Amino acid sequence: MLYAILAYHVEGVVASWTPEEDAALMADLHKVHDRLHQEGRLGPAARLGATEQACTLRGPGTGSITDGPFAETKEQLLGFYVVDCDTRAAAIAAARDLRRVNPTAVYEIRPVSLYLPGTPFPVTAA
């Protein structure tokens, strides 16, 4: 079963990190990423851009666009992982591994019902 692990954090906190602090956290996260990849369980993962550049499409017909992705939460969705786990408990364990090295983040675990394996992400500037 595939699970999405959605990474939430207070965007202002993340933006306040020095390049060195961000690189240190990413190095720790890459250890978890590398292990999940070696186990053949890590699918697409991405760090999302700033929420101030996001918009939301909602409503009937062609819909309307509003600024921001805003839900009524303190944290913003800043990234996601897709992991292949046999059980919900295994997906939760993978999220706990990520949280262990990024303890101020919030991770939502959600089953994925549609996944197109082998679809590459385009390479873009960070």
Side-chain angles (χ1 to χ4, degrees), residues 5 24 29 52-53 82 103-104 110-111 119 123:
I5 300 176
L29 285 171
E52 66 189 26
Q53 297 171 350
V82 175
T104 57
R110 187 183 295 187
T119 303
V123 177

Side-chain angles (χ1 to χ4, degrees), residues 4-118:
I5 300 176
L6 308 175
Y8 291 85
H9 211 296
V10 177
E11 190 172 24
V13 171
V14 174
S16 74
W17 294 339
T18 66
E20 295 78 17
E21 289 169 324
D22 187 66
L25 174 63
M26 291 309 297
D28 287 341
L29 285 171
H30 283 314
K31 292 174 187 172
V32 178
H33 302 163
D34 291 345
R35 180 181 53 79
L36 290 170
H37 179 72
Q38 288 173 356
E39 293 170 356
R41 298 192 307 136
L42 183 64
R47 189 179 217 183
L48 300 176
T51 58
E52 66 189 26
Q53 297 171 350
C55 63
T56 301
L57 172 64
R58 69 177 80 224
T62 59
S64 60
I65 298 288
T66 57
D67 288 338
F70 305 109
E72 296 298 321
T73 64
K74 184 176 177 182
E75 299 90 10
Q76 292 81 38
L77 177 61
L78 299 183
F80 67 89
Y81 302 87
V82 175
V83 294
D84 188 2
C85 297
D86 292 331
T87 64
R88 180 176 182 264
I92 291 169
R96 283 192 172 128
D97 288 342
L98 295 165
R99 185 168 167 83
R100 195 169 294 113
V101 298
N102 191 6
T104 57
V106 174
Y107 292 94
E108 176 183 344
I109 299 97
R110 187 183 295 187
V112 174
S113 60
L114 174 64
Y115 172 61
L116 303 173

